[in-house]
Amino acid sequence: MNNPANLCPSLSILKHCRTLKSVKIVHARLCKTGVDTHPLFAGKLLLHCAITISDALDHARRLFLHFPNPDTFMYNTLIRGFTESDTPHNSFWLFDEMRRKSVAPPDSFSFAFMLKAAANLRSLRAGIQLHCQALVQGLDTHVFVGTTMISMYGECGHAHFARQVFDEMRDPNAVSWNAIITSSFRCGDLKLAKAMFDAMPFRNSTSYNAMLAGYTKAGLLDLAMEVFSAMPLKDDVSWSTMIVGFAHNGCFDEAFRFFRDLQRIGMRPNEVSLTGVLSACADAGAFEFGKVLHGFIEKCGFSNIISVANALLDTYSKCGNIHMARLVFEMMLHQRNIVSWTTMIAGLAMQGYGEEAIELFHKMKGCGIVPDGITFISILYACSHSGLIEEGWKYFSMMKDMYGIEPAIEHYGCIVDLYGRAGQLQKAYDFVCQMPVAPTSIIWRTLLGACSIHNNVKIGEQVRKRLSEIDPTNSGDHVLLSNIYAVAGKWRDVATIRRSMRDQRMKKNPGWSMIEVDKTMYGFVAGENQGEIAEEANEKLTEIMLRLRVEGGYVPELKMVLHDLEEEEKEDSVSRHSEKLAVAFGMSRSCKGSTIKIVKNLRICRDCHAFMKLVSKLYKLEILVRDRSRFHFFRDGSCSCREYW
């Protein structure tokens, strides 16, 4: 009965099991025949539960404990399962037990899996201990163990240790060379990565792709392009890496161009390249191009891939089309995960639908999805942008009391923002001072931004003093305090701050706005109005301003000009903000009746906000502006933010 030959049909059935329930059915039938105790079947069953099925690791652990004499393969299988899970620390007790049993001594695979666990935990101490044990066992020179050791030291941020292990390897293979390159990049040692790449006796696609990934993550896109151009053979990983790299570094046009080139040469986009280009669409607000990608995704069957569907949902949300986002979300009925729910909640929050976001949060819980820390950031964000102060506090408390989630600095930041937006600045300041963790510059900066909105000089000065102790060279902090002084008419203080910025050679980040017209992205930067596109925008803006003055009684809010200038100069300065130029260009080029969509890198100012409302009323236009903080949907002279931003 226990002849391995009799197990073949059972093992064949096991390969097709995709759920824990189906595995249990097969296991129950085999228990009746007595073959479940055969080492071959037990090992395969353990492997299937620990590695293949995502939610069966705990069942694999019970199977392991049930088996009387597990061999090295079984130990390694469960160690590997723990290593690749969210609880890699569990692999250590199993490894210790394995070492105590002479029947199943650790082998090269054991050490490789354990080193990966140490890498996932970023535990240098555990990694060094494993290194010492590998030396005792004589496995330190094993190419598989040595390569994993290089990766471990790289993950722990110690490039010199990784290099030492590599130098001691007798005959490093291509995987080892690629590992030392990747580790060098992870540790920020770009020179070492380039030196190792140049010294390689042989290179494969993985070697080039490692260089591409390293350079794009470091933001060195010119160097990445050089490597990409020099590649003898570009695979789908190469193209995906470049697309994602451009998207994450804000080079949206390049990301779109690479995606089009990928299709032009006949290569089929994969999951990574699609999520990368969708990310670019989301960040750039490229709604029309996103719709084209949506059609491609449906046509090619990529909509069933959860990461692609989530990226599409995020794209529509960030492009301001909540209707299409809802449609995609509803179509994902049987494949939604925590990312899907959180993305939809965040999309509603960004557009000011606080109550709807809270309703969806409770619906998510009703479906058995347990919220995580990121979900709570989204729900706190929704409360903050809708002025739901009491509700925000309730969810902040619920996070820890009901779900055992310790608040991270981002959650504390949401509460500061919650109070700050509502104008309760003293309460926000007291909350920051009483935080159980040290407030970061981002926390103080959030409060400083609120002081700027509500023109509170007193608290603004206190916050700036705190910031100067943490991050004295940040130009944005100087600008925010300068804004507060300027609105209060304290031009002498403004001049002092500006002089300090010049002395320290600080530069203010320029405001820019982007608009999509005929699937092409156009960018406008404040103060940089040269070229035919800028000329066209300026000409149209002059015409709009004249009509707004005559028919709408528009008077620019000159107090938003943060320099002590003559009135005429102030008026010209405030009239040429990048979002005004983008809207003017959109009106010049867009078809009548279409919604003008703008993406801006900074918070929209009050004058531009008033300008957009008046344009929407006089020109019967719908204008959507996504600034750094939220969406503003202007229609018939009013805004969806209800003057709360």
Side-chain angles (χ1 to χ4, degrees):
M1 182 65 68
N2 286 335
N3 189 330
N6 298 329
L7 299 176
C8 291
S10 305
L11 295 178
S12 179
I13 295 172
L14 183 63
K15 288 179 182 177
H16 296 287
C17 293
R18 292 290 177 266
T19 64
L20 180 57
K21 183 178 180 181
S22 60
V23 170
K24 287 181 176 179
I25 293 171
V26 174
H27 189 199
R29 289 177 179 174
L30 292 167
C31 283
K32 294 180 180 179
T33 64
V35 297
D36 61 307
T37 57
H38 192 285
L40 178 61
F41 176 76
K44 293 290 185 182
L45 180 64
L46 188 67
L47 180 67
H48 202 73
C49 290
I51 306 302
T52 306
I53 301 178
S54 60
D55 60 345
L57 184 57
D58 191 56
H59 185 71
R61 183 184 60 83
R62 290 196 294 270
L63 286 173
F64 179 84
L65 294 174
H66 177 73
F67 197 80
N69 295 303
D71 57 18
T72 300
F73 174 80
M74 293 180 183
Y75 271 104
N76 287 346
T77 299
L78 193 55
I79 287 172
R80 179 186 170 191
F82 281 133
T83 295
E84 296 175 358
S85 73
D86 294 330
T87 57
H89 57 274
N90 285 334
S91 59
F92 285 90
W93 68 262
L94 194 60
F95 182 73
D96 289 339
E97 180 185 305
M98 184 183 188
R99 289 177 60 229
R100 289 194 299 269
K101 290 189 176 182
S102 58
V103 180
D107 59 10
S108 59
F109 288 98
S110 313
F111 278 98
F113 294 145
M114 288 305 303
L115 285 163
K116 187 175 180 182
N120 291 343
L121 290 168
R122 306 291 194 276
S123 176
L124 179 64
R125 182 179 179 182
I128 290 175
Q129 289 176 344
L130 288 164
H131 189 170
C132 294
Q133 291 170 20
L135 282 168
V136 173
Q137 298 285 336
L139 291 170
D140 58 303
T141 58
H142 192 287
V143 67
F144 185 30
V145 176
T147 300
T148 316
M149 207 175 290
I150 291 168
S151 298
M152 180 274 296
Y153 281 126
E155 289 291 339
C156 293
H158 288 269
H160 56 289
F161 286 163
R163 176 65 187 272
Q164 188 176 340
V165 172
F166 179 82
D167 289 341
E168 291 174 359
M169 293 180 72
R170 294 171 185 169
D171 189 21
N173 59 15
V175 181
S176 309
W177 280 95
N178 294 336
I180 188 64
I181 291 172
T182 302
S183 294
S184 301
F185 274 122
R186 287 199 189 283
C187 298
D189 195 337
L190 276 61
K191 287 185 178 179
L192 178 58
K194 179 65 164 61
M196 299 308 293
F197 180 75
D198 291 339
M200 287 185 74
F202 38 75
R203 296 171 185 161
N204 54 22
S205 295
T206 307
S207 311
Y208 283 98
N209 289 334
M211 294 297 292
L212 290 180
Y215 281 142
T216 54
K217 286 177 182 176
L220 302 172
L221 301 180
D222 290 342
L223 293 177
M225 277 295 299
E226 288 180 16
V227 174
F228 185 82
S229 300
M231 290 182 71
L233 182 64
K234 303 172 181 66
D235 57 16
D236 56 348
V237 176
S238 316
W239 285 94
S240 300
T241 302
M242 293 301 294
I243 291 169
V244 171
F246 281 123
H248 287 178
N249 284 282
C251 300
F252 308 126
D253 285 339
E254 289 299 311
F256 299 150
R257 182 174 68 81
F258 260 70
F259 186 80
R260 293 189 185 100
D261 289 345
L262 169 68
Q263 293 180 291
R264 182 176 51 78
I265 64 172
M267 288 190 71
R268 178 182 170 87
N270 60 13
E271 176 183 347
V272 179
S273 56
L274 277 170
T275 53
V277 75
L278 283 168
S279 172
C281 288
D283 290 338
F287 174 68
E288 294 300 328
F289 193 56
K291 284 201 301 183
V292 172
L293 288 171
H294 189 177
F296 174 83
I297 288 166
E298 292 290 344
K299 181 180 178 181
C300 297
F302 282 104
S303 57
N304 293 324
I305 300 175
I306 186 68
S307 62
V308 175
N310 284 337
L312 184 61
L313 171 60
D314 185 53
T315 297
Y316 280 130
S317 294
K318 288 181 177 175
C319 286
N321 196 313
I322 204 67
H323 171 72
M324 288 299 296
R326 285 181 188 274
L327 187 63
V328 172
F329 183 75
E330 294 301 326
M331 294 292 287
M332 297 168 65
L333 182 61
H334 300 296
Q335 60 174 154
R336 295 175 195 153
N337 59 13
I338 184 68
V339 177
S340 316
W341 288 93
T342 300
T343 302
M344 192 66 227
I345 291 170
L348 289 166
M350 279 189 73
Q351 299 192 44
Y353 298 108
E355 292 83 0
E356 289 89 338
I358 291 171
E359 183 182 338
L360 190 64
F361 175 76
H362 289 291
K363 186 177 179 182
M364 178 191 79
K365 293 198 298 176
C367 292
I369 303 292
V370 179
D372 59 12
I374 299 175
T375 310
F376 276 102
I377 289 173
S378 296
I379 202 69
L380 289 172
Y381 183 90
C383 294
S384 175
H385 283 262
S386 299
L388 305 172
I389 299 174
E390 291 182 9
E391 290 84 349
W393 253 114
K394 182 182 78 173
Y395 292 114
F396 184 75
S397 302
M398 178 194 295
M399 179 176 64
K400 186 174 182 179
D401 298 342
M402 189 178 295
Y403 293 97
I405 300 172
E406 197 65 34
I409 200 70
E410 291 84 2
H411 300 107
Y412 289 112
C414 287
I415 296 299
V416 175
D417 190 52
L418 182 75
Y419 284 136
R421 286 182 189 278
Q424 299 181 19
L425 301 177
Q426 188 61 53
K427 220 170 193 178
Y429 183 81
D430 293 341
F431 176 82
V432 175
C433 293
Q434 295 166 12
M435 281 170 50
V437 296
T440 62
S441 59
I442 295 174
I443 294 289
W444 287 116
R445 204 162 285 133
T446 300
L447 183 50
L448 186 61
C451 291
S452 177
I453 294 171
H454 297 286
N455 307 326
N456 192 310
V457 177
K458 181 181 176 182
I459 296 180
E461 288 177 332
Q462 293 175 330
V463 173
R464 177 67 190 95
K465 185 178 179 181
R466 299 274 191 155
L467 272 168
S468 65
E469 298 169 359
I470 303 173
D471 189 7
T473 60
N474 187 282
S475 63
D477 302 337
H478 287 72
V479 171
L480 280 174
L481 187 59
S482 175
N483 294 358
I484 297 171
Y485 284 142
V487 173
K490 296 189 172 186
W491 296 110
R492 184 174 296 176
D493 293 316
V494 171
T496 301
I497 290 179
R498 297 285 171 171
R499 186 162 50 255
S500 173
M501 291 180 68
R502 284 196 301 272
D503 292 343
Q504 298 180 59
R505 296 184 179 179
M506 293 182 185
K507 289 186 177 180
K508 178 182 180 292
N509 291 327
W512 56 256
S513 297
M514 298 184 71
I515 181 171
E516 182 186 25
V517 178
D518 295 331
K519 301 184 183 66
T520 301
M521 301 303 299
Y522 295 90
F524 296 89
V525 180
E528 295 181 10
N529 302 323
Q530 297 180 352
E532 293 182 8
I533 298 298
E535 188 178 336
E536 181 181 343
N538 272 294
E539 188 176 329
K540 183 66 177 179
L541 182 56
T542 301
E543 173 195 315
I544 295 168
M545 293 292 253
L546 180 61
R547 183 176 174 185
L548 261 55
R549 288 173 185 276
V550 174
E551 298 181 29
Y554 169 69
V555 178
E557 293 194 34
L558 302 185
K559 67 179 181 179
M560 300 310 300
V561 182
L562 306 174
H563 300 277
D564 192 8
L565 305 173
E566 295 297 327
E567 293 298 301
E568 189 176 335
E569 293 177 291
K570 285 185 177 183
E571 190 169 314
D572 185 63
S573 176
V574 79
S575 298
R576 303 297 155 178
H577 282 184
S578 63
E579 56 266 55
K580 289 190 180 81
L581 289 167
V583 165
F585 182 73
M587 291 171 67
S588 174
R589 292 285 186 96
S590 298
C591 299
K592 201 170 183 179
S594 61
T595 300
I596 293 177
K597 300 182 176 71
I598 308 293
V599 173
K600 181 175 173 58
N601 68 325
L602 303 176
R603 188 191 296 262
I604 189 172
C605 76
R606 293 195 179 277
D607 180 73
C608 287
H609 197 266
F611 170 87
M612 300 294 176
K613 287 195 296 183
L614 201 51
V615 168
S616 71
K617 180 180 180 180
L618 292 182
Y619 286 87
K620 306 299 180 186
L621 272 177
E622 292 184 352
I623 304 170
L624 187 68
V625 177
R626 188 188 86 197
D627 70 5
R628 185 180 61 187
S629 178
R630 60 169 296 155
F631 278 96
H632 298 265
F633 187 48
F634 301 93
R635 178 167 45 188
D636 296 328
S638 62
C639 179
S640 60
C641 75
R642 293 168 289 187
E643 306 305 312
Y644 192 87
W645 86 94

